[in-house]
Amino acid sequence: MATRPGRRAAIVAGLRTPFVKSGTSFRGLTALDLGRIAVSELVQRCELPPKEIEQIVFGVVIPIVQWPNIAREVGLAAGLPKTIEAHSVARACATSLQALTTAADAIALGEVDVAIVGGAEAMSDVPITYSRPVAQAVVAAAKGKTLVEKLKAFREISPRDLLPVPPAIAEYSTGMSMGESAEKMAKENGISREAQDAWAHRSHTRAARAWEDGTFRKEVMRVLVPPRFEEVVVEDNVVRKDSRLEAYANLKPVFDKKYGSVTAGNSSPLTDGSAALVVMAEEKARALGMKPLGFLKEYAYAAVDPAWQLLQAPAFAVPKVLRRAGMRVPDIDVFEIHEAFAAQVLSNLQAWGSKKFAEEHLGGGEPIGEPPEEKINPSGGSVALGHPFGATGARLVHQALRQMSARGLGTALVSICAAGGLGGACILTRE
Amino acid sequence: MAAKTFRLETPGEGVGVVSMDVPGEPVNTLRADFAGELEELLRRAAEDPAITSLVLTSGKADGFIAGADVQMLQRITTREEATELARGGQQAMSRLEELGKRKPIVAAIHGAALGGGLEVALACTYRIATDDRRTQLGQPEVQLGLIPGAGGTQRLPRLIGIAEALDLILTGKSVRASKARRLGLVDEVVPRPILLQVARRRAAELASGALRPDRSRVHLRQIADREVLQAVALEENPIGRRILFQQARKALLKKTRGHYPAPEKALEAVRIGIEDGIEAGLRAEAERFGELVVSDVSRNLVQIFFATTALKKDTGVDDPSVKPARVSKVGMVGAGLMGAGIAAESARRSWRSSPPRPTGRDSRPAT
Ligand SMILES: CC(C)(COP(=O)(O)OP(=O)(O)OC[C@H]1O[C@@H](n2cnc3c(N)ncnc32)[C@H](O)[C@@H]1OP(=O)(O)O)[C@@H](O)C(=O)NCCC(=O)NCCS
């Protein structure tokens, strides 16, 4: 089957900070701090001569006005050569997958040999803005020449306009929050509360086991929290080491209190963290004597109407990436599926296995089929590990690659749903 | 045997599900000849010891029951015949209500529940509607020069209060689920995919006594606005009530100038029901319904209804093989009143239209 044209992109290293619930250990840090921490440690660890790096592609989902191009600031703050070009990307929860595929394309075209890609999110540090009337008045006042003119600009402001506006995790086009959309999907696809809770429990149990048996040791760095450097964050703090299935049943639905099934327990929490990867042309890796963790074989993105099932685009992106790679579900050894909500993972899986869905949405033919459960998220997913939006894509790719090397497997598939009705998927191989 | 309109399933836990699906029609409408089938089915449900409660719903994808079959009404020639029809409808509803006292019946409503459709729901023990935009509840009969004829003038005021009931019956306007919930017209509003699931659960809970419908006539909790409180205060005593009816009548006459008899008749039926009891009220409702069906005003309004419905399907040419083309983009020359109107209508249908440019001094840009 057709493979991607151009040079193959090898992923030679990856690293992430522990993922922590927002408002906890990293509450004093910005996404830039977190990005810098992960990137500088990554470069140190993989012993890549910094002068070899030509490009940084990085992203954050909640934009910060002070540094609109986070990729550039991360490179500068990490003390990397100031001559490395950098640009930022945004694709909601698939942002750092986008960073990877953007760099891979540049590598394929021969534009760059070596790139750092990744993303970060600091949900503890979100920009609080003012309402539009206030913002407009401030702009107008700045233009005023006299004090009277300056004050005049504020005449129309009502007390309500003075309330600060926090960013909402809601769709701009539909006004529905992520959680409400997950709730809608649970109902429309008939995903039961029990199935969601069981999935969440499984996610926590596997993540806890992975932390215990050292699976994450190579993937996750320790963070000495600035500016005091007193606290050392060693592990993800969302993972429940003592997850009990019964405990989930007691939680109240958050987004539809009366008829809902989506709870704090079966949703991914708001999380702070950062993750990064080193990607390079296959021959460059060989020249530098670096052993690739694996290769990006193929990727695909897709989109659905946000007002339909917001988090169902993986049901389109995954068949697409398989078709492009000329592969089938049984050919894949590991599936790393982003878990925004258990209801969303189960909806995605249901669609993959559904003949009806294939007929109605994919132009007929056989559905790709549901992978066996043990192949999916073997070390837990976002529900247990957390979901710093910008970092999740790179976390998934790295985790898939490590799974493969640890168990001597050859192929992995990463699937991510994202705000805006977007979805992304990629296939990774190891030789 | 002719295809059936009603089906009864007993999927377990004692809850029978009755679904209405008029074969070959896009929407459910009520016809006199369904009464026998429904009655037979209700008798089966009543006698079946495995059934302790029922859910009544529609088998159509996006509609509950749109009302009485207007064609059927049009074929009626005498006043007696029409009164008889109303009596038949009333009796069917009363039987439904009676059965509900032993085996609670939950109306599961998605889509339009209008006219007779709402009257069916009113005769049930408990009502659940979906929060979907397509769900509409109302008594639009006056718009056809008629009044509700299957107990609507009696059950609606008893359920939601006289003032609110008159507001619906006299204007013929319909309300969405959330408003219906505030009025107390429905007991619960749920997302569409779980309508049947919740309806079954509530039916079982009603049967076991775990759930009692909250029937404090008007839900004061939800309607804190003063006007309604005043109206309720008025309704509680006979003098206040008389004032209420007198005021309603005066307001009505101002609007109809005596040309439209239906709202006035509806008002009478409601009043008689409140003052002399439900039996008298039902009789008054059926008689007035009979008079109106054969009245010129109603006949003409029904004609207009058919004409506008037909117009919506009219292609503008006689040749039936001519089918309207799909339009996605509209270019326009001229930006006067017509151009603006066409542009606005195109925008409403999400057609892309190049905005007409004002050319002369009289031309205004279209919206
Ligand atoms: C779901 C959400 C609203 C919950 O936020 P929250 O209220 O801060 O949740 P908490 O973590 O405080 O959890 C609430 C309770 O559930 C409990 N809980 C959570 N997970 C649990 C588990 N697995 N087992 C037992 N209890 C659990 C917590 O201990 C807490 O109990 P407490 O109140 O007694 O301390 C929030 O995480 C959210 O918005 N997530 C979605 C993020 C999103 O939209 N992402 C975009 C995806 S594309």
Side-chain angles (χ1 to χ4, degrees), chain A residues 21-22 92-93 123 169-170 177-180 197 200-201 204 238 240 242-252 254-255 262-271 310-311 338-341 344 383 387 389 416-419:
Chain A
K21 239 181 105 86
S22 66
C93 307
M123 291 302 294
I169 318 179
S177 76
M178 292 288 151
E180 285 165 351
D197 286 349
H201 173 58
H204 277 283
V238 181
R240 291 181 180 254
D242 54 347
S243 175
R244 287 179 313 114
L245 187 54
E246 314 82 69
Y248 291 82
N250 298 330
L251 300 174
K252 294 249 176 323
V254 188
F255 303 99
V262 176
T263 67
N266 59 40
S267 310
S268 63
L270 300 174
T271 314
L310 184 72
L311 306 172
H338 167 45
E339 302 170 344
F341 301 90
Q344 154 266 320
V383 164
H387 173 35
F389 306 143
I416 310 181
C417 61

Side-chain angles (χ1 to χ4, degrees), chain A residues 117 178 314 379:
Chain A
V117 304
M178 292 288 151
S379 304

